[in-house]
Amino acid sequence: MMTTNEKIQMFDALLSTTEWEGNVKLPATANRKIVLLFALVVEKELKEGSDLFTLFPKGLSEQLAAFIKECLEKAGLQVFYEKLKALK
């Protein structure tokens, strides 16, 4: 079994190749339910310090949060999402 440090080093090595540097254009065909579920799950894992997110390079969490915000805005769910979070 690999230690957490060994996993971090492995992911860092894999993600440091040039293939991972560019941006990707994604199709905007996800429905609002998927966007909302994606945002809720990822934010929960980020806040709880999920083991998965500790393996990735620093700064990825901020990029992911920005991506979620953009998805919510494009889906017209930003206000709803904020109100939903306030209910918790």
Side-chain angles (χ1 to χ4, degrees), residues 17-33:
T17 62
T18 57
E19 291 85 16
W20 292 97
E21 292 179 11
N23 291 332
V24 177
K25 185 171 183 167
L26 299 173
T29 57
N31 66 37
R32 287 181 173 87
K33 290 178 189 177

Side-chain angles (χ1 to χ4, degrees), residues 1-13 55:
M1 189 83 169
M2 293 175 71
T3 66
T4 301
N5 193 34
E6 290 171 332
K7 290 177 186 178
I8 291 170
Q9 289 176 350
M10 182 187 71
F11 276 106
D12 189 42
L55 299 178

Side-chain angles (χ1 to χ4, degrees), residues 2 20-21 31 40-42 48 62 68 74 79-80:
M2 293 175 71
W20 292 97
E21 292 179 11
N31 66 37
L40 290 169
V41 169
V42 172
E48 291 180 0
E62 291 81 16
I68 290 170
K74 287 183 177 182
V79 173
F80 176 77

Side-chain angles (χ1 to χ4, degrees), residues 64-80:
L64 194 51
F67 178 71
I68 290 170
K69 182 179 179 185
E70 182 180 350
C71 289
L72 289 168
E73 288 172 357
K74 287 183 177 182
L77 293 171
Q78 185 66 31
V79 173
F80 176 77

Side-chain angles (χ1 to χ4, degrees), residues 15-65:
L15 297 178
S16 66
T17 62
T18 57
E19 291 85 16
W20 292 97
E21 292 179 11
N23 291 332
V24 177
K25 185 171 183 167
L26 299 173
T29 57
N31 66 37
R32 287 181 173 87
K33 290 178 189 177
I34 296 297
V35 172
L36 184 61
L37 180 61
F38 173 71
L40 290 169
V41 169
V42 172
E43 184 175 281
K44 178 181 181 279
E45 293 300 312
L46 284 172
K47 283 185 178 177
E48 291 180 0
S50 169
D51 287 341
L52 175 65
F53 292 112
T54 61
L55 299 178
F56 291 107
K58 294 181 186 201
L60 182 68
S61 297
E62 291 81 16
Q63 291 175 359
L64 194 51

